[in-house]
């Protein structure tokens, strides 16, 4: 074990990185429109702007063509439509975007293509149209099975709409369905959470994502809590809710492969795995983020400015992955990339950090780079070494923030 600090040469590493042509790329597409704003939401999304959608789709297709020009990656393995509310787009608009991707990139025949969906927007005809367009995974924002909580969140749907949406999705041919659930919200009780989990389990879907509600500045929920109209979220109750769901999902045969994600039949979300492995993805659409060729970047947030920028006649040639709509970009140092990779990989509970892959990617042995810290975490029972992997233990999960702080 080497106790001397190791400084990696970013330039040398970057050249190796760019040579990894066979690496698979993912594409995230941000749809920044919603019919109404949920009370906890701080995403980059806008209401009463649906009239912009046709021009937005044209701008998106321009951005996709632009970013593809000097793309060094051979295939695209996953596409994810997120938002916002992607299901405000027509199926023809989904088809147009996906045909642009097929035209400008090599989309793997087995690519996972996901859209997030609002249950209110779904009908058999619409869902069948999504399948025909090539969408093969759907992520439905259920959030809660309790109508009072759904009203508090200002969601547009009720409990029965979600149940009907899942049935219709299955009938339309979706066999990879995710439900998003929220726990730890003000006024949520253990009884309503248990009912939400049991209602969700009864729908027999392939995947669950569970989100602890975080109060985001500027949201109505945050204002209500700050002004005393609503109690603060109870962290202990939220931890009990998480434990309850973890136990119930395990009993029902779901594998917890990430801190907040469970799947059946090995149907992990390949797109999110790309993030957690810190592998490259491009982000298109207002407010999207991307990480490719060692550059982490963000696209401008305002839809109208995004549309006018991407539809303008601009001959400027920018290096991949930049486009005229990118308004923030940073070339990561190799040490930054290593820190990010470790933090995100440890979220993968079974996979953790695979030591030979780490060495191959960064040209350095993790135990040489961070040997003393790793030895301490292993000795303290926060990390465990199994074969060629290092993973978080149960205790390590609880103290993961401390581990992550030390590694960056
Ligand atoms: S539907 Fe989703 S993106 Fe839109 S406001 Fe609600 S939580 Fe935010």
């Amino acid at each position: 074990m080497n106790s001397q600090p190791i400084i990696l040469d970013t330039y040398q590493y970057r050249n190796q990185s760019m040579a990894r042509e066979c690496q698979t790329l993912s594409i995230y597409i941000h749809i920044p429109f919603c019919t109404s704003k949920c009370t906890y939401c701080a995403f980059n999304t806008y209401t009463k702007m649906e009239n912009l959608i046709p021009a937005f789709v044209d701008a998106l297709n321009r951005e996709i063509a632009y970013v593809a020009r000097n793309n060094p990656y051979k295939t695209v393995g996953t596409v994810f439509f997120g938002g916002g509310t992607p299901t405000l787009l027509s199926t023809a608009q989904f088809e147009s975007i996906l045909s642009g991707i097929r035209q400008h990139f090599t989309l793997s025949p087995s690519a996972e293509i996901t859209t997030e969906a609002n249950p209110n927007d779904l009908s058999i005809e619409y869902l069948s149209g999504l399948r025909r367009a090539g969408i093969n995974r759907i992520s439905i924002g259920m959030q809660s099975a309790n109508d009072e909580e759904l009203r508090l969140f200002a969601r547009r749907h009720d409990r029965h709409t979600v149940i009907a949406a899942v049935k219709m999705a299955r009938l339309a041919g979706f066999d990879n369905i995710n439900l998003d659930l929220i726990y730890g919200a003000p006024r949520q009780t253990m009884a309503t959470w248990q009912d939400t989990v049991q209602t969700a389990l009864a729908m027999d879907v392939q995947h669950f994502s569970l989100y602890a509600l975080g109060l985001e500045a500027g949201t109505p929920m945050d204002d209500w809590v700050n002004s005393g109209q609503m109690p603060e979220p109870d962290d202990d109750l939220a931890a009990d809710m998480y434990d309850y769901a973890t136990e119930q999902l395990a009993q029902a045969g779901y594998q917890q492969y990430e801190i907040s994600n469970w799947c059946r039949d090995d149907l992990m979300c390949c797109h999110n795995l790309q993030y957690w492995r810190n592998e490259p993805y491009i982000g298109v659409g207002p407010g999207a983020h991307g990480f490719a060729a060692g550059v982490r970047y963000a696209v401008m947030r305002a839809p109208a400015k995004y549309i006018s920028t991407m539809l303008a006649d601009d001959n400027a040639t920018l290096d991949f992955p930049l486009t005229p709509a990118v308004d923030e970009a940073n070339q990561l140092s190799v040490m930054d990339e290593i820190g990010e990779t470790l933090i995100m990989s440890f979220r993968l509970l079974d996979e953790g950090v695979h030591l030979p892959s780490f060495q191959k990617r960064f040209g350095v042995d993790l135990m040489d780079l961070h040997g003393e810290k790793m030895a301490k975490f292993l000795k303290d029972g926060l990390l465990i070494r199994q074969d060629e992997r290092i993973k978080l233990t149960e205790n390590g999960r609880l103290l993961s923030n401390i581990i992550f702080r030390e590694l960056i």
Side-chain angles (χ1 to χ4, degrees):
M1 198 175 290
N2 187 345
S3 60
Q4 296 300 311
I6 295 179
I7 309 294
L8 294 177
D9 181 328
T10 299
Y11 175 75
Q12 209 176 40
Y13 165 69
R14 200 60 68 207
N15 282 349
Q16 287 167 15
S17 176
M18 289 305 290
R20 289 177 298 165
E21 282 189 338
C22 59
Q23 208 171 18
T24 303
L25 183 69
S26 287
I27 301 180
Y28 172 76
I29 300 163
H30 191 76
I31 312 295
F33 306 105
C34 286
T35 304
S36 54
K37 192 88 182 176
C38 301
T39 52
Y40 54 85
C41 178
F43 294 143
N44 187 47
T45 178
Y46 303 84
T47 58
K48 300 188 178 59
M49 283 198 190
E50 288 92 328
N51 61 319
L52 294 181
I53 290 178
F56 161 75
V57 172
D58 291 344
L60 202 52
N61 279 330
R62 277 269 192 114
E63 195 186 10
I64 288 165
Y66 192 104
V67 76
R69 291 191 302 187
N70 296 312
N71 160 44
Y73 301 102
K74 277 206 173 124
T75 53
V76 170
T78 72
V79 178
F80 193 104
F81 291 84
T85 306
T87 44
L88 289 179
L89 266 52
S90 67
T91 56
Q93 286 165 332
F94 272 100
E95 268 172 32
S96 145
I97 296 164
L98 284 168
S99 91
I101 289 175
R102 288 193 182 91
Q103 186 187 340
H104 297 289
F105 291 89
T106 306
L107 186 62
S108 160
S110 60
E112 175 194 274
I113 306 177
T114 304
T115 186
E116 291 180 343
N118 189 307
N120 283 75
D121 301 332
L122 305 180
S123 64
I124 287 275
E125 296 70 33
Y126 184 76
L127 286 156
S128 303
L130 291 181
R131 287 290 294 125
R132 277 195 302 278
I135 308 282
N136 52 28
R137 182 175 185 274
I138 190 159
S139 174
I140 299 176
M142 171 177 174
Q143 317 311 358
S144 170
N146 181 280
D147 286 344
E148 214 170 298
E149 283 170 12
L150 290 169
R151 277 193 293 277
L152 176 69
F153 296 159
R155 298 289 304 181
R156 288 191 284 141
H157 64 270
D158 62 15
R159 167 193 183 101
H160 296 291
T161 318
V162 179
I163 295 170
V166 170
K167 277 189 192 148
M168 287 190 292
R170 204 169 276 131
L171 281 173
F174 281 97
D175 54 9
N176 193 352
I177 302 173
N178 170 62
L179 293 177
D180 283 344
L181 303 179
I182 289 178
Y183 65 96
R187 297 206 181 127
Q188 193 177 24
T189 66
M190 185 53 110
T192 60
W193 174 242
Q194 288 175 345
D195 179 52
T196 291
V197 171
Q198 295 306 330
T199 306
L201 278 172
M203 284 189 253
D204 202 25
V205 297
Q206 289 73 23
H207 194 283
F208 289 102
S209 297
L210 270 47
Y211 297 103
L213 186 118
L215 288 178
E216 301 284 348
T219 60
M221 188 81 81
D222 188 49
D223 291 346
W224 295 333
V225 170
N226 289 335
S227 63
Q229 293 176 64
M230 192 164 284
E232 291 214 6
D234 177 340
D235 290 346
D236 292 336
L237 180 59
D240 290 345
M241 288 174 171
Y242 179 83
D243 288 347
Y244 173 79
T246 301
E247 194 186 294
Q248 294 296 308
L249 287 162
Q251 272 178 26
Y254 288 87
Q255 173 198 357
Q256 185 179 12
Y257 68 99
E258 196 269 345
I259 289 178
S260 307
N261 286 274
W262 286 257
C263 73
R264 223 174 48 189
D265 309 327
D266 282 332
L267 286 171
M268 301 174 209
C269 175
C270 299
H271 185 83
N272 286 343
L273 280 176
Q274 187 88 352
Y275 297 156
W276 294 317
R277 291 173 179 156
N278 208 19
E279 297 287 358
Y281 62 96
I282 56 166
V284 290
H289 290 248
F291 169 60
V295 177
R296 205 166 273 292
Y297 65 93
V299 179
M300 57 180 58
R301 291 168 66 88
K305 189 168 173 223
Y306 167 82
I307 292 167
S308 61
T309 303
M310 278 322 303
L311 294 184
D313 285 327
D314 187 339
N315 295 319
T317 304
L318 300 168
D319 287 342
F320 176 87
L322 305 184
T323 74
V326 168
D327 68 0
E328 202 186 314
N330 292 304
Q331 178 87 47
L332 290 194
S333 74
V334 65
M335 292 308 286
D336 287 342
E337 192 170 331
I338 285 177
E340 289 185 357
T341 303
L342 289 175
I343 288 173
M344 288 194 270
S345 300
F346 279 134
R347 291 187 62 98
L348 294 168
L349 301 178
D350 287 335
E351 192 172 303
V353 177
H354 184 244
L355 295 170
S357 305
F358 182 93
Q359 163 119 39
K360 192 166 169 216
R361 176 169 175 177
F362 295 108
V364 63
D365 186 318
L366 176 60
M367 302 311 279
D368 287 341
L369 190 63
H370 283 308
E372 281 174 24
K373 288 176 191 167
M374 288 292 156
K376 182 172 174 303
F377 294 141
L378 288 164
K379 184 166 152 281
D380 293 346
L382 301 181
L383 295 178
I384 184 167
R385 182 165 181 165
Q386 280 177 346
D387 302 324
E388 295 178 311
R389 296 182 185 280
I390 296 193
K391 312 175 191 180
L392 287 181
T393 61
E394 294 252 338
N395 277 345
R397 265 186 243 178
L398 298 174
L399 299 174
S400 55
N401 283 346
I402 296 174
I403 300 175
F404 297 162
R405 223 179 13 244
E406 294 242 353
L407 291 176
I408 50 174

